[in-house]
Amino acid sequence: MKVIHPLNPIYDNNSKVLILGTMPSVKSREESFYYANPKNRFWSTLSKVYNKEIGDSKEDKINFLLKHNIALFDVLKSCDISSSSDSSIKNPIPNDLSEILNNSNIKVIFTTGKKAYTLYMKLIYPLTNIEAICLPSTSPANCPRGIEEKLYNEYSKIKKVQ
């Protein structure tokens, strides 16, 4: 099924870190917000890294990101995808990151998972010349039990940029 990215990027002129996923999941598209699947560990991992409660509302999450100078978006503008499966992605079209990069203070780009990293390096890196750092996926499909410590350790790199 062809999916067009429905969400706006989250950032402001103080953003120093850009975190890129691949494409919003079915649940995220339904909820109109990033990492909306309650089984996804993205928000709980950031909460642990910063030792701060984030809150459940979209506004709480946006405020948390901006307070910590984090921008959030996805690599793809559109693609053919089956459900939320990154491995099924075909015909990827990249998002244009120039708005974020020109109107913020991005120092580092992270991707959430190998597919986002591979697509970024293939489709966007040639335009930005900013290498990305691949973080583990927080998706419940790619997150076995006991990975919380690994996620914490890897995602702690975000905090070191600030």
Side-chain angles (χ1 to χ4, degrees):
M1 172 173 113
K2 180 155 180 101
V3 174
I4 297 173
H5 196 288
L7 307 175
N8 291 323
I10 298 169
Y11 74 97
D12 66 15
N13 61 348
N14 296 313
S15 298
K16 295 178 183 174
V17 170
L18 174 57
I19 301 175
L20 297 171
T22 309
M23 173 63 79
S25 68
V26 171
K27 184 70 171 168
S28 292
R29 294 189 305 263
E30 288 171 358
E31 299 289 328
S32 298
F33 201 69
Y34 296 92
Y35 303 99
N37 184 333
K39 293 181 180 178
N40 189 298
R41 294 179 174 109
F42 181 81
W43 296 110
S44 63
T45 298
L46 285 182
S47 176
K48 186 175 178 184
V49 165
Y50 286 92
N51 196 28
K52 301 247 191 249
E53 289 296 319
I54 295 177
D56 293 328
S57 74
K58 293 175 189 178
E59 184 177 90
D60 289 339
K61 292 172 181 174
I62 291 169
N63 289 337
F64 176 88
L65 292 170
L66 297 179
K67 179 180 180 184
H68 293 95
N69 302 318
I70 298 171
L72 188 60
F73 201 34
D74 287 304
V75 173
L76 298 181
K77 178 179 182 174
S78 70
C79 66
D80 295 326
I81 187 169
S82 176
S83 187
S84 301
S85 173
D86 279 0
S87 63
S88 73
I89 290 174
K90 292 182 174 61
N91 305 313
I93 305 295
N95 265 316
D96 179 358
L97 301 184
S98 62
E99 176 189 331
I100 298 169
L101 297 175
N102 292 335
N103 295 295
S104 66
N105 193 21
I106 301 298
K107 297 184 183 316
V108 180
I109 295 175
F110 293 96
T111 63
T112 59
K114 291 179 184 170
K115 188 67 171 192
Y117 176 80
T118 301
L119 289 166
Y120 173 86
M121 293 304 289
K122 179 180 178 183
L123 302 172
I124 299 177
Y125 172 72
L127 304 172
T128 65
N129 290 316
I130 302 170
E131 281 207 43
I133 297 169
C134 184
L135 298 172
S137 172
T138 57
S139 166
N142 300 317
C143 243
R145 288 181 167 221
I147 197 169
E148 286 79 13
E149 191 63 30
K150 180 179 181 181
L151 288 175
Y152 171 76
N153 290 335
E154 292 295 315
Y155 277 71
S156 291
K157 293 174 185 176
I158 295 167
K159 192 174 179 181
K160 294 176 184 174
V161 174
Q162 299 144 353

